[in-house]
Amino acid sequence: MKRSSGVLMHISSLYGDYQIGSFGKEAREFIDFLSNCGFTYWQVLPFCLPDDCNSPYKSFGAFSGNPYFIDLPTLFEKGLISKEDLESAKQSSPYLCEFNALKQNRLEILKKASLNFNEDKKTQKFFTDYPETLKFCEFMALKSANGGKPHNEWTVFTPDTSALKLWKFIEYEFFTEWLELKSYANSKSVKIIGDMPIYVDFDSSDLYYNKSEFLLNEKGNPKLVAGVPPDYFSKDGQLWGNPLYDWNKMKENGYSWWLKRLDFHKKIFDGVRIDHFRAFQDYYAVKAGEKTAKNGKWKKGPRLSLINEFKKIQGDFTIIAEDLGLITDSVRKLVNDSGFPGMRVLQFAFLGDKNSPHLPHNYINNSVAYTGTHDNNTLLGYVWESSVEDRNLMLDYFNIPRDRWNESYDDIVIKMLSSSAGLTIFPIQDLLKYGADTRLNTPGVPENNWAFRTTKDGLERIDVNKLKYYNELYSRT
């Protein structure tokens, strides 16, 4: 990999005035910040519609866009909403996403905008180019016609016309704004890395239109559901509950749905991280109805047969394999055979394994190194909450005086940049030196996640010139 660096921050975490981050001017200012620091990548989280717990890893549609990211001032400038609409969406606090307020009023504002919007040839071309997104809109309109019930309880099979108009407007506007923003990023030599969740929700357009490609029983319900066994994050494992793929059926049609999915991500990003990549080797299956993930079993995944199909259409598109968790030699071999860079996470480096691939001296060029991911504590929170023994081990490793542990973050960032990893990425909280109260997500815990937001003042306190100097010093620009 060409030596480079970047920052991990979801769109929702951008600062702004309207309850959540958006594709507005603040996003362009953040791109300017990245460029001025010498960073060449911005990594985001999944763009799809989030679930009731605000997680983007479980959605009504893998080919959808989150309506909350549409920029309200842009809609006002287009004459689609009023000044009163803008004022009604003003936030109470700049520090957290106001999910309750968003759920109460944001779709109503977008509905007003949709009524003032007239479809034209550009709209028609968009849905010709993004047919799976059109299916998502139709699914949401059918869901509306059935009072929001899950698809296995539907009795009405004619889409609600007003809901269809709303969702077609939302998706067209979402991707129009995003592609303009991505073009701006690319013009500033900043590339965008997206994120592809491995699984989809049972109540999704993806399953509804492709039922034969999932492991369902005769009633159309999942036989087995997804999760992971007990690990670093959870003693009971994580019971995700997503339906599992019928890999044999998918292989019969050349993995058509997966290739559509990769092609979709190629259209909107410069690269993508595939979440839970190890499930392509072997996936963890839990019997539907289980209360925890303790009693699941590993089953054979598609392995290289799917990876080889990906590589046929990959081109110069970057694919990152999220190879974290319980990793076996066979998973390591699959990642190596794929040629995709794997992940290295500093917070997993000091767990007692001297041969850990997460120790910086073991980094290889074909890897992406992080101080932490969206599922980890912040670097400050991690150091603060570590035992004295673990903290001293890390400080000794980086040759940082033990009495300077609360000033160690700049040194760690610099030494990550100097490592052999081809790409080094920092969560924005680690550049801001924020603590555990700004952690984005705690796996296995459904509440109080995904809400962190930056502020403009906070971003302006980051030493841009220092980061640019070290990015240049270690050949990452």
Side-chain angles (χ1 to χ4, degrees):
M1 295 184 71
K2 181 181 183 297
R3 288 181 64 79
S4 53
S5 60
V7 175
L8 168 62
M9 185 179 74
H10 198 30
I11 301 298
S12 59
S13 296
L14 282 163
Y15 59 88
D17 298 325
Y18 297 97
Q19 302 169 338
I20 194 170
S22 77
F23 295 148
K25 64 180 179 63
E26 296 84 4
R28 284 169 171 74
E29 291 170 0
F30 183 68
I31 289 167
D32 292 341
F33 161 80
L34 294 174
S35 179
N36 291 338
C37 289
F39 291 120
T40 49
Y41 283 95
W42 177 6
Q43 183 174 341
V44 296
L45 299 184
F47 274 4
C48 49
L49 188 70
D51 68 4
D52 290 339
C53 295
N54 308 308
S55 170
Y57 289 90
K58 199 173 183 182
S59 176
F60 288 135
F63 298 83
S64 66
N66 187 340
Y68 298 159
F69 296 168
I70 292 173
D71 185 55
L72 295 185
T74 297
L75 297 185
F76 174 71
E77 291 167 7
K78 292 180 177 180
L80 297 176
I81 61 174
S82 67
K83 191 72 172 178
E84 290 72 25
D85 294 324
L86 268 184
E87 290 300 318
S88 72
K90 282 289 183 72
Q91 63 203 24
S92 300
S93 167
Y95 303 111
L96 296 172
C97 298
E98 297 177 354
F99 291 121
N100 289 335
L102 286 163
K103 290 172 183 177
Q104 290 172 10
N105 63 31
R106 187 56 62 92
L107 285 184
E108 285 302 312
I109 294 174
L110 294 175
K111 186 173 182 179
K112 291 180 181 179
S114 73
L115 295 174
N116 293 321
F117 176 78
N118 294 314
E119 293 188 21
D120 55 17
K121 290 183 178 180
K122 289 183 179 179
T123 317
Q124 294 169 6
K125 184 179 186 307
F126 168 78
F127 287 112
T128 299
D129 293 340
Y130 294 81
E132 299 301 316
T133 304
L134 178 58
K135 286 183 181 179
F136 163 77
C137 296
E138 292 168 348
F139 175 84
M140 296 302 289
L142 282 166
K143 194 171 182 66
S144 180
N146 285 275
K149 294 178 181 179
H151 65 75
N152 58 338
E153 298 178 18
W154 288 356
T155 56
V156 179
F157 297 95
T158 302
D160 180 302
T161 54
S162 63
L164 182 58
K165 180 176 177 62
L166 169 62
W167 282 102
K168 287 179 71 176
F169 165 74
I170 285 173
E171 296 306 310
Y172 172 75
E173 181 66 24
F174 176 97
F175 287 106
T176 297
E177 290 188 14
W178 168 247
L179 291 173
E180 289 176 356
L181 183 62
K182 178 182 177 295
S183 178
Y184 180 77
N186 292 165
S187 75
K188 304 286 285 189
S189 299
V190 173
K191 295 181 179 180
I192 311 293
I193 298 173
D195 197 305
M196 183 192 295
I198 185 73
Y199 294 121
V200 299
D201 194 14
F202 170 75
D203 192 23
S204 67
S205 60
D206 311 292
L207 185 142
Y208 180 70
Y209 293 110
N210 302 280
K211 292 177 183 177
S212 66
E213 300 196 43
F214 291 81
L215 294 175
L216 307 177
N217 61 25
E218 63 280 357
K219 293 183 178 180
N221 296 315
K223 297 177 184 177
L224 302 165
V225 296
V228 289
D231 62 5
Y232 173 85
F233 289 113
S234 173
K235 63 182 179 61
D236 290 331
Q238 299 173 46
L239 185 61
W240 297 336
N242 308 75
L244 293 170
Y245 303 111
D246 186 337
W247 287 116
N248 291 330
K249 184 69 174 180
M250 288 186 154
K251 186 176 183 179
E252 287 177 7
N253 64 24
Y255 301 107
S256 172
W257 181 82
W258 276 98
L259 297 185
K260 290 176 185 176
R261 201 173 180 199
L262 181 59
D263 182 64
F264 171 76
H265 283 80
K266 286 181 64 178
K267 289 177 180 176
I268 61 175
F269 299 120
D270 299 298
V272 70
R273 186 197 81 132
I274 299 181
D275 179 55
H276 198 54
F277 187 86
R278 69 105 57 241
F280 292 151
Q281 175 66 27
D282 298 298
Y283 62 93
Y284 196 67
V286 182
K287 187 177 179 180
E290 288 278 344
K291 301 301 182 184
T292 74
K294 283 185 175 180
N295 298 321
K297 294 182 179 179
W298 291 103
K299 294 182 175 291
K300 182 179 177 180
R303 303 185 176 178
L304 273 177
S305 64
L306 174 60
I307 303 305
N308 288 335
E309 295 302 318
F310 280 169
K311 293 173 76 69
K312 288 177 183 178
I313 66 170
Q314 180 183 4
D316 60 357
F317 187 74
T318 300
I319 297 178
I320 299 170
E322 189 268 278
D323 54 345
L324 307 176
L326 183 60
I327 303 302
T328 63
D329 287 342
S330 60
V331 176
R332 295 186 188 96
K333 185 176 187 306
L334 179 68
V335 175
N336 186 64
D337 289 346
S338 75
F340 304 152
M343 290 177 59
R344 307 290 184 265
V345 181
L346 181 66
Q347 291 187 34
F348 298 152
F350 304 101
L351 301 177
D353 180 5
K354 293 183 178 180
N355 295 316
S356 170
H358 302 288
L359 285 164
H361 70 267
N362 288 330
Y363 292 170
I364 61 173
N365 173 263
N366 195 36
S367 67
V368 184
Y370 299 76
T371 46
T373 73
H374 66 276
D375 282 335
N376 288 100
N377 203 341
T378 67
L379 182 59
L380 172 57
Y382 166 75
V383 175
W384 177 270
E385 295 176 8
S386 291
S387 67
V388 173
E389 294 79 8
D390 289 347
R391 183 190 303 149
N392 287 341
L393 177 63
M394 185 192 71
L395 294 172
D396 291 348
Y397 181 89
F398 286 113
N399 195 29
I400 298 169
R402 291 181 176 182
D403 61 355
R404 281 192 55 238
W405 69 267
N406 59 340
E407 304 170 8
S408 60
Y409 318 110
D410 282 346
D411 290 339
I412 293 172
V413 167
I414 290 167
K415 288 175 181 178
M416 290 288 283
L417 288 171
S418 70
S419 76
S420 295
L423 174 56
T424 305
I425 292 183
F426 306 97
I428 188 63
Q429 295 97 314
D430 291 352
L431 297 183
L432 291 163
K433 304 175 190 175
Y434 284 173
D437 57 329
T438 66
R439 179 174 182 160
L440 191 62
N441 181 53
T442 302
V445 178
E447 295 87 18
N448 303 317
N449 291 316
W450 312 108
F452 163 73
R453 292 181 72 191
T454 61
T455 63
K456 188 170 185 178
D457 288 345
L459 206 64
E460 289 175 345
R461 286 196 293 271
I462 294 175
D463 192 335
V464 170
N465 292 328
K466 183 177 183 179
L467 287 170
K468 184 175 182 180
Y469 171 76
Y470 283 107
N471 269 315
E472 290 177 344
L473 182 64
Y474 297 117
S475 302
R476 293 195 179 273
T477 57

